[in-house]
Structures are given as C-alpha cells and as structure tokens.
Amino acid sequence: MTILVTGARGAVARHLTTLLRERGAEVREASAAPAPGLPDRLVCDLNDPATFAPALKGVTSVFLYANAAHADAFAREAAAAGVEHIVLLSSASVLHPDAAGNPLAASHLNAERALCAGPVRTTLLRPGSFSSNALGWSWAIKAGEPVALPYPDAHNDPIHAADVAAAALAVLTSAGEHGEAHTLTGPRSVTFAEQLDVLAGVIGRPIAIRRVSPEQWKEDMSAYMNAGFADALLDYWRSTVGNPVEITDTVERLTGRPGRDFETWAREHAADFAPAG
C-alpha cells in the first residue's frame, strides 16, 4: 500500500505522515510547491491538475485536503492511477442548513460532492474547530494586551490536529470505514472565555478580554479575511452563545482513545503565548 498525503506542510498531514511511517506504511508526501531541503517531496498543487498524475502514480490511497477548484479532475486522475480510496479532510461546516451559500462551508461542500460523485470510494472527515485556532490570540497575549472578542461566550468544539490525523490513520488502514462521513469534535464544548482561562493557567498570568462589537471586530480583521467570511464566522459564533456545540465520540470510536482536550494542546503550545523575555 502506498499512501499519498497532500498538503504535507499542514499540521494534520505532518501528524499523519508520522503515524503512517510508525505503522511501516509507504508514504508519499506532496505539497503545492517544492519544499526546501526536502527533495523527495512531490509537487501536487490542487489548483493545478497537471501535477495530479505524477503524484498519483502507483498510489493506492490518498489523504486529500479539500479544494473544490479541480476536485472532479483529481477524482478522475486518481481512478486512472488505480487509487482505491480517498480520505478527504473536509469540515463540519458542511452540515450547516445553508452550507451551499455559506462562505465557511461552500468550498468544502463542493469538494465533497465532486469526490463522492467520482469513481473512487471516498471517506469524509469533518472536523469542527481546531484547537490551533487559538494561535490567532497569540500576538495579543504575548504582548500582554487584552484579546478582542465579539462573543466571548460563544461555544466551540476544539479538536487537536493529532486526533484528526489519528482518525485519518484509522480510516486509511481499515477496510471497514470506506465511503462514510465522520464528524469529528474535541472532547468538550468550551467557550472562548474558557479557553482563555486555560491559556492563562498554562502561562501563569491573567489574560484580559476586551469585548468589541461585531462591526469593530470585522473592521479589525478586514486585512486578513474577506467580509463574507467574517460575516459567516460572526453568525456562527452568535448562534453558539449559551448553546454548547454537540460533541461526538467519533475520535474515540475510530482510534480507540479519547480525544485530547484543549488544555493538552495549550500546554504543548505554551511557548507560543509566553511573553518575550
């Protein structure tokens, strides 16, 4: 079995590659551009179909990051190469009632539809929010400044990238999970304020919250994300204020162990939040 892991620079892909090699699997890493110092890494640019066939040659299974641009072409090339199984890293946002019109969900949903309509059996992994999203607060925390939040009491379901990778390993190496859709969450629904309390405990100093209006937050983020994406995030956060996210047991069911909680991730990344000096 030869497994192609796309998006090799990503956190999930890095964890997955390590797990697969520990299992003795033949792994082929691929990313959108050549990796300096890693001459063996293939180029598989999901925005460039010309890179698909060389990366897929001799491959039996694929771990694929969701990119709707040429997902149908990828499915065709995978079938032509003899690929038997694709595991697509999608998003739980596709479960939104208006996913097709939601900027958070639409690209993932379109990638899912293209792959599932193709000739290669496809398994869908749909994580919710990642624990690593908290890195967006790191600059303010390192500087000793308050974290600006429009909805501090909004819930989310932070999942560790290593648990997503472990779930991917399970479906890539098992014949029993092919063709299914798996919603992945962390082990507990927590608010942003609770996550900041955890981080404060880890770094040993308080972290203040500055409540801002949704409009102010959107303006502050305008250099980093488009307005439609910001509006979709704000709508989602507003919907989870006082409304815990539904938690699944999928990580434990697939991997045989409970998922890592946010505190575990925070302790692993304490240096990212510690003040300089």
Side-chain angles (χ1 to χ4, degrees):
M1 174 184 290
T2 300
I3 299 173
L4 174 68
V5 177
T6 69
R9 291 190 177 98
V12 175
R14 294 197 308 271
H15 284 293
L16 176 59
T17 297
T18 298
L19 292 173
L20 286 166
R21 288 190 169 135
E22 288 173 352
R23 286 283 189 96
E26 183 70 28
V27 182
R28 183 177 295 174
E29 295 179 78
S31 55
L38 294 173
D40 294 335
R41 183 175 291 176
L42 291 168
V43 172
C44 184
D45 183 350
L46 300 180
N47 288 308
D48 181 5
T51 67
F52 296 168
L56 287 163
K57 186 177 180 180
V59 167
T60 50
S61 299
V62 178
F63 175 74
L64 181 66
Y65 276 73
N67 184 323
H70 301 287
D72 52 349
F74 189 92
R76 290 193 300 271
E77 291 287 358
V83 171
E84 300 169 2
H85 185 203
I86 296 172
V87 175
L88 180 70
L89 181 60
S90 183
S91 166
S93 63
V94 301
L95 302 174
H96 189 281
D98 185 33
N102 186 311
L104 293 174
S107 63
H108 291 93
L109 181 63
N110 290 337
E112 283 193 6
R113 287 174 171 172
L115 270 294
C116 291
V120 180
R121 184 170 294 181
T122 300
T123 300
L124 308 175
L125 298 182
R126 294 168 170 168
S129 61
F130 280 85
S131 296
S132 56
N133 291 351
L135 290 170
W137 304 327
S138 62
W139 183 89
I141 294 172
K142 287 171 74 75
E145 298 183 359
V147 174
L149 292 174
Y151 299 109
D153 299 319
H155 277 260
N156 67 120
D157 54 350
I159 187 169
H160 199 299
D163 288 328
V164 179
L169 174 74
V171 296
L172 281 164
T173 57
S174 168
E177 303 290 346
H178 294 196
E180 299 182 20
H182 301 284
T183 302
L184 308 175
T185 71
R188 191 164 71 92
S189 180
V190 295
T191 66
F192 292 139
E194 289 171 336
Q195 287 179 271
L196 287 169
D197 283 343
V198 168
L199 287 168
V202 166
I203 67 173
R205 65 183 180 89
I207 299 172
I209 294 173
R210 178 168 62 90
R211 288 179 178 264
V212 296
S213 69
E215 294 75 21
Q216 182 62 56
W217 182 86
K218 182 178 175 180
E219 181 178 340
D220 292 345
M221 298 302 294
S222 61
Y224 309 101
M225 66 177 69
N226 67 50
F229 195 88
D231 284 335
L233 273 177
L234 289 165
D235 288 345
Y236 176 70
W237 292 337
R238 186 183 302 113
S239 74
T240 65
V241 172
N243 185 24
V245 178
E246 183 177 351
I247 298 301
T248 72
D249 65 352
T250 310
V251 168
E252 185 168 7
R253 179 175 59 80
L254 290 176
T255 70
R257 57 174 299 279
R260 299 162 175 86
D261 60 18
F262 181 74
E263 184 171 357
T264 298
W265 180 90
R267 292 191 180 282
E268 293 172 357
H269 294 267
D272 293 317
F273 299 92

